[in-house]
Amino acid sequence: MEQRRADVIALELENRILNGTYSNGERLDEVRLAQQFDVSRTPLREALQKLFNSGLIELKPRRGAFVKQPDAIALIEMFEVMAEQEAICGKLAARRITETALVQLEEANTRCEIALQNRDADAYYAENERFHHIIYKQSGNSFLEQETRRLHNRLRPFRRTQLRARGRLEQSMEEHRAIVAALRDGDPDKAQRALHDHVAVQGEKFHLLIAGLKAAE
C-alpha cells in the first residue's frame, strides 16, 4: 500500500514540477507535503527518491529536496542517446526475441490501443513502458538492458509528457505497429530504424518538451 502511495505522490509531484507549479530551485517542504497528501514521511520520501532518480529534484544533506530541471540542451542530448540505445535494443531483439515475448509485446500493444481509444495518456504510457521493457529484455544483452532502463527512468517524466501533444498518441501507436512488424519479421535494420525514430525527439515532440521546460522555469 505504501509503495502505491509513493507512486501516486511521485506522479503528482512530477506533474507539478513539469507544469510550473514548483519553480526550478524551489525547496519541497517534506512536512507540508506529508500533510497535503495525508501520509507519513516514509511514502513521501520514497516518492522523492523516485523524482531524484528521474533527475527532477536534487537531494541535499540536511537541507532537503530542491526542484532541478535539466536545461534544453541536456534534455535533447539525453534523448539522442536514448534513441541510439533503443535502436540497438531493437536490432538485437529482432534476431533474438522469443515467440512468447512477441505475444507479450502484441498484448502490451493491444492495451495501448485500448488506452488510445479511451484517450488516457497515462494508461497508454504505463503499457508503453511495458512494451519497451520487453524489447530491452529481448535484446539478450543484460548490460545494454540495464543501461537503457536507467536512461529510460531518467527520461520517464518527459517521455510521458510528450504523449499529451495533439495527435501524438495516434502517431506513437503507428510507430508501435511498425516496431512489432519489424520484430515479427526478424528484420534487424527495420527494427533499428523504427525504434530510433520512435524515441528521437523531433518536430512537435521537440517543441512540446521545450515548452514544458519554459513553463517550469
Side-chain angles (χ1 to χ4, degrees), residues 192-207:
Q192 183 175 17
R193 288 193 301 272
L195 263 299
H196 183 279
D197 291 347
H198 179 57
V199 177
V201 176
Q202 52 198 359
E204 189 172 12
K205 288 191 289 183
F206 173 84
H207 294 299

Side-chain angles (χ1 to χ4, degrees), residues 89-168:
C89 286
K91 182 176 183 178
L92 294 176
R95 298 169 177 157
R96 300 170 177 174
I97 192 167
T98 66
E99 184 64 32
T100 298
L102 274 170
V103 171
Q104 293 171 345
L105 197 67
E106 289 166 344
E107 288 173 348
N109 220 24
T110 297
R111 291 191 292 268
C112 284
E113 291 268 15
I114 294 170
L116 169 61
Q117 293 168 9
N118 293 333
R119 311 308 304 171
D120 188 339
D122 288 336
Y124 183 96
Y125 182 76
E127 298 303 333
N128 172 75
E129 194 167 51
R130 293 186 184 94
F131 179 91
H132 284 269
H133 285 176
I134 292 169
I135 296 172
Y136 303 164
K137 181 72 173 178
Q138 293 302 306
S139 72
N141 185 312
S142 58
F143 178 78
L144 176 62
E145 178 190 2
Q146 180 181 358
E147 293 301 308
T148 307
R149 276 178 173 266
R150 180 177 291 117
L151 187 52
H152 184 122
N153 291 340
R154 176 68 175 82
L155 289 172
R156 178 182 288 121
F158 305 98
R159 293 181 71 145
R160 189 171 61 83
T161 298
Q162 56 90 15
L163 288 173
R164 292 191 170 88
R166 184 168 57 88
R168 178 55 192 153

Side-chain angles (χ1 to χ4, degrees), residues 70-101:
D71 61 34
I73 292 176
L75 187 60
I76 298 307
E77 288 176 345
M78 284 188 282
F79 266 99
E80 284 181 345
V81 174
M82 183 87 260
E84 295 298 331
Q85 287 183 332
E86 294 231 12
I88 297 171
C89 286
K91 182 176 183 178
L92 294 176
R95 298 169 177 157
R96 300 170 177 174
I97 192 167
T98 66
E99 184 64 32
T100 298

Side-chain angles (χ1 to χ4, degrees), residues 7-22:
D7 291 340
V8 171
I9 294 168
L11 183 59
E12 176 58 27
L13 293 177
E14 177 186 300
N15 287 333
R16 293 180 188 182
I17 291 171
L18 294 178
N19 68 22
T21 300
Y22 299 137

